[in-house]
Amino acid sequence: MTGFYRDGYCRTGPEDKGNHAVAGLLTNEFLDFSASRGNNLRDIGLTDGCKWCLCTNRWKEAMEAAKSNDDPVVPKVFLHATDESALKSIGLEDLKKFAAEGEAGSGGGATRNPVSQTPSADGRGPVRETH
């Protein structure tokens, strides 16, 4: 199960030094990128297509390394499930650029929780591991 507290949510607290706040959809390119930085998520069984709570700074590193907004090195983001603590390091506009299809901001249609509000504990749902 994903999340720092292994409860299926991307919520964080003072014990979570990596701030696992970004709810993302893993890609092979991101898994390679993360492994190249010393964190091989495949070792714990994660694969392309898994939903996972990502370290805010690692997601930001991938975004900064991306060649374009559709570069698969950057996991798509589930805004409704991303903890607002991610906003301490990543701008909301950057998160919106990489919103998963169907999330507000992605051009993929409306969601239950429009992105005009900040991702927060009030609007997030579970992000379950899917492998």
Side-chain angles (χ1 to χ4, degrees):
M1 182 170 295
T2 193
F4 179 77
Y5 297 107
R6 297 297 187 252
D7 61 1
Y9 296 88
C10 294
R11 55 188 193 88
T12 63
E15 310 87 14
D16 181 6
K17 302 302 182 205
N19 194 42
H20 294 79
V22 178
L25 184 64
L26 298 180
T27 62
N28 281 321
E29 293 81 0
F30 178 79
L31 291 165
D32 292 343
F33 180 82
S34 186
S36 77
R37 302 290 193 276
N39 186 16
N40 188 347
L41 297 171
R42 289 185 178 104
D43 286 346
I44 58 172
L46 296 176
T47 60
D48 181 73
C50 288
K51 294 177 181 177
W52 199 248
C53 295
L54 303 168
C55 291
T56 301
N57 285 336
R58 181 57 40 86
W59 186 91
K60 185 177 180 182
E61 286 175 13
M63 180 193 69
E64 291 170 346
K67 294 176 178 60
S68 67
N69 287 353
D70 61 351
D71 191 327
V73 75
V74 186
K76 294 297 182 188
V77 176
F78 297 97
L79 297 168
H80 72 279
T82 294
D83 190 79
E84 71 181 328
S85 64
L87 297 173
K88 293 176 185 171
S89 300
I90 304 169
L92 182 57
E93 289 306 312
D94 287 329
L95 290 170
K96 284 181 181 182
K97 279 188 231 173
F98 294 95
E101 188 172 332
E103 293 280 310
S106 71
T111 65
R112 288 179 288 147
N113 302 310
V115 155
S116 58
Q117 55 184 249
T118 304
S120 69
D122 296 334
R124 79 175 178 242
V127 175
R128 300 286 181 206
E129 182 176 324
T130 57
H131 68 284

